[in-house]
Amino acid sequence: MSTESTTLGYNSKVEGEVVVTQADAVINWIRKHSVWPMPMGLACCAIELMAVGASRFDISRFGMEVMRFSPRQADCMIVSGTVTYKMAEVVRRIYEQMAEPKWVVAMGACASTGGMYRSYATLQGVDRIIPVDVYVSGCPPRPEALLDAMIKLQDKIGRESSVKNLTAPKAVAEKPAFAGKEA
Amino acid sequence: MSQADFASLKERFAYLTERDSADHLSVNCPAKHLLEFCTSLRDELGYDLLLDVTAIDWDVQTSPRFTGIYHILSTTHHNYIRIASDCLEDAQPSLPSLAGIFPAANWHERETYDMMGIRYEGHPDLKRILMWEDYPYHPLRKEFPLAGIEVPFPAADVAESANAKVLPAPMMGGPFVSPSGGTMREIEPQAKDESWTEKEEQH
């Protein structure tokens, strides 16, 4: 059997029990099917996030059910809710404590842009303090919307140059504040 | 006294004046008598549950500018009293703290201090409760813009690593507010265009 995929060439008559592929494809395949989310639940979006984790929507279908409340054990921060300036400090600190590789999903209007909170107390989008990979619209988004975002994140992880990143690790301190649009 | 009315209160506390009210009994009490009046309310008249502490900023030019508001409920007689107390100074407003007689006043007074800048004399731990401690303004004062004012980020190390600042929020044609009073059409939310803050956004 052979596939059309460029990342996987396998012919059982030729290779037998050996699968030839690229390191990037293997690493990304492993990473994207075992995303451990860090629920940064700050407001009502967190309720939808909980629904995503529960049986009706069931995030474990995508291998992401291991929600960790410790940044050391998580690799995807889901910022779900209004980020006040007072909380922004905490969000950034927890992001810095997460081990590489790490991703951020801005869930909902507030986390993406400040939402309806155009006020002195609210950070106008979490991308002002941490790089965001996927933005989810909605106030709050439906659980399906978050699942869609997580699938998009998986696609994005699948396109990363992981080997290059392994040999030359990203320096966190040098990341600009608006590094949300990385290819 | 089962049903407190203003006449019987006035007999006992000569310094009170009556205050217009749409619902419950409402009195003005001079700040220097506030503690004594509230202690009597609690111990002798059955007003034992402090429900709300807040304040009004009448306007920048008005004097007295700030008025402290207290709502107290009697859980035995099931009636409310509202007490208003003007702050004497307009620049450095202060009121006596009720935290000593009503523990519930503790956080309420911290919030009012945070938002309005009224100092509660005698409060055990008067510090900000909503905004971070170094924040230099009191956001619910009349002269403070809803969008906010540029100040340093709460934590210096995070400000440096994230290159973040506390900036005025873009108003995008807003804020959208409903005028009070009028027909239903007139009290629809309307845009008070304060989008002057957006110049800051285009950097």
Side-chain angles (χ1 to χ4, degrees):
Chain A
M1 185 202 110
S2 68
T3 65
E4 294 291 310
S5 166
T6 54
T7 55
L8 178 74
Y10 177 65
N11 186 327
S12 59
K13 293 200 179 83
V14 180
E15 279 107 2
E17 292 174 350
V18 177
V19 176
V20 179
T21 181
Q22 297 166 338
D24 264 352
V26 175
I27 293 169
N28 291 342
W29 180 79
I30 293 168
R31 281 179 179 170
K32 79 184 198 183
H33 289 103
S34 164
V35 174
W36 288 25
M38 151 98 221
M40 178 55 72
L42 302 173
C44 29
C45 280
I47 305 294
E48 301 299 304
L49 177 61
M50 288 176 228
V52 171
S55 55
R56 190 181 180 100
F57 296 98
D58 196 8
I59 201 173
S60 69
R61 291 179 291 159
F62 309 97
M64 299 176 188
E65 76 277 22
V66 195
M67 298 250 182
R68 288 293 139 140
F69 295 86
S70 160
R72 306 285 188 207
Q73 300 172 357
D75 36 33
C76 170
M77 183 192 270
I78 302 175
V79 184
S80 46
T82 318
V83 188
T84 59
Y85 282 115
K86 201 173 173 183
M87 194 65 190
E89 172 192 346
V90 180
V91 174
R92 172 73 193 192
R93 273 192 213 292
I94 290 177
Y95 175 77
E96 285 175 357
Q97 288 168 13
M98 286 164 63
E100 293 273 2
K102 54 190 171 185
W103 301 276
V104 177
V105 175
M107 179 185 178
C110 291
S112 303
T113 67
M116 65 180 203
Y117 297 103
R118 306 240 170 249
S119 93
Y120 57 88
T122 308
L123 184 71
Q124 300 294 306
V126 76
D127 56 3
R128 296 186 177 211
I129 51 164
I130 54 178
V132 174
D133 293 279
V134 183
Y135 299 83
V136 191
S137 64
C139 183
R142 289 280 313 167
E144 296 93 326
L146 182 65
L147 288 175
D148 184 46
M150 298 309 281
I151 295 166
K152 289 218 161 43
L153 180 68
Q154 285 185 325
D155 291 347
K156 189 173 178 182
I157 296 170
R159 293 194 304 270
E160 282 184 354
S161 309
S162 301
V163 178
K164 209 188 284 175
N165 291 347
L166 283 179
T167 50
K170 289 181 271 186
V172 177
E174 285 166 25
K175 267 189 191 174
F178 291 90
K181 289 95 193 169
E182 127 192 28
Chain B
M1 194 193 305
S2 63
Q3 185 70 36
D5 55 74
F6 182 71
S8 55
L9 278 180
K10 177 81 181 172
E11 213 169 278
R12 172 101 192 264
F13 309 99
Y15 44 79
L16 297 182
T17 51
E18 194 165 13
R19 188 178 171 80
D20 284 345
S21 170
D23 41 26
H24 308 291
L25 176 63
S26 185
V27 296
N28 294 306
C29 175
K32 62 180 175 185
H33 295 296
L34 183 67
L35 212 53
E36 162 204 339
F37 177 52
C38 290
T39 310
S40 302
L41 280 181
R42 184 193 67 170
D43 295 342
E44 293 155 42
L45 302 176
Y47 285 96
D48 48 0
L49 182 61
L50 180 77
L51 289 173
D52 197 8
V53 178
T54 181
I56 303 168
D57 179 0
W58 292 104
D59 210 343
V60 182
Q61 294 88 15
T62 317
S63 187
R65 180 175 168 187
F66 294 98
T67 302
I69 303 287
Y70 303 86
H71 290 181
I72 309 178
L73 172 72
S74 164
T75 55
T76 48
H77 306 307
H78 309 295
N79 48 11
Y80 293 87
I81 186 168
R82 183 181 302 116
I83 304 158
S85 194
D86 291 337
C87 305
L88 290 182
E89 285 215 34
D90 295 337
Q92 302 278 323
S94 73
L95 283 170
S97 170
L98 295 190
I101 52 175
F102 291 110
N106 190 317
W107 283 18
H108 274 119
E109 288 178 349
R110 281 177 61 190
E111 185 190 356
T112 312
Y113 161 69
D114 191 355
M115 294 287 118
M116 293 285 194
I118 296 172
R119 298 205 67 85
Y120 286 90
E121 305 299 338
H123 190 284
D125 185 23
L126 192 67
K127 60 182 185 193
R128 288 180 182 271
I129 194 170
L130 296 173
M131 306 301 282
W132 58 100
E133 280 196 47
D134 299 331
Y135 193 69
Y137 301 103
H138 299 288
L140 289 193
R141 286 190 172 188
K142 280 279 189 280
E143 78 271 16
F144 187 87
L146 173 62
I149 296 172
E150 182 174 337
V151 293
F153 205 72
D157 55 336
V158 171
E160 203 189 325
S161 63
N163 191 19
K165 272 189 281 187
V166 175
L167 294 170
M171 277 293 125
M172 317 288 275
F176 300 92
V177 292
S178 301
S180 60
T183 62
M184 276 189 77
R185 193 182 67 79
E186 285 159 354
I187 59 173
E188 280 283 299
Q190 292 163 15
K192 289 172 79 175
D193 195 343
E194 287 180 11
S195 48
W196 48 268
T197 54
E198 266 139 87
K199 286 189 201 83
E200 288 286 320
E201 285 295 292
Q202 294 154 2
H203 46 82

